[in-house]
Amino acid sequence: MIAKVAAAGAVGTAIRLIGVLPLAVAVYGDPLTLLLLNTFGCAVAGMVVATLDVSPLRSVLTHGVLGAFTTFSSVIIAAGRIGHSLGLVAEDTSRMTSAGLLLAFGYVAVSVGLGLFAYVATCRLVAR
């Protein structure tokens, strides 16, 4: 089962890279685009969970494909870029200021919150 989920993760990564290739610069350069992409992936995960009974296929799709498609590491990188791109960096260092860190933490909180909302809302809509 682990091998299937790992292979599905490779598929999810490929979908993310190939599927958004025309938007690659925007996705990795624009935190809002990344937020929308990850929220979409969470909504699809909600649809999969609501429509498939607990099964190996559901695990492969949610943990493998969609887990790789909606990578949290991308969120962390985007959060770090927000503070740096706005110049919220302490003088003579690469460390963000308190305002930069607060903005980065806010972005992570919004990302997690919207992802959870999209997942739960889609589960409920599809289950009706």
Side-chain angles (χ1 to χ4, degrees):
M1 181 62 170
I2 292 173
K4 289 178 184 177
V5 172
V11 170
T13 300
I15 292 170
R16 182 182 182 97
L17 293 175
I18 295 168
V20 298
L21 194 55
L23 302 173
V25 173
V27 168
Y28 295 107
D30 179 20
L32 180 60
T33 304
L34 181 63
L35 178 68
L36 294 173
L37 180 69
N38 285 335
T39 302
F40 169 76
C42 290
V44 173
M47 184 175 61
V48 168
V49 168
T51 56
L52 295 177
D53 291 330
V54 176
S55 68
L57 176 61
R58 186 169 100 171
S59 293
V60 165
L61 290 174
T62 56
H63 300 304
V65 175
L66 293 169
F69 182 79
T70 59
T71 60
F72 195 69
S73 59
S74 298
V75 172
I76 298 303
I77 291 168
R81 286 183 178 172
I82 289 171
H84 284 284
S85 67
L86 294 177
L88 300 173
V89 179
E91 286 186 37
D92 300 325
T93 180
S94 62
R95 294 186 194 140
M96 278 193 278
T97 63
S98 297
L101 287 173
L102 185 61
L103 192 58
F105 281 119
Y107 179 78
V108 171
V110 168
S111 294
V112 171
L114 278 177
L116 286 172
F117 174 79
Y119 172 81
V120 171
T122 306
C123 275
R124 288 183 179 170
L125 285 172
V126 172
R128 289 184 179 183

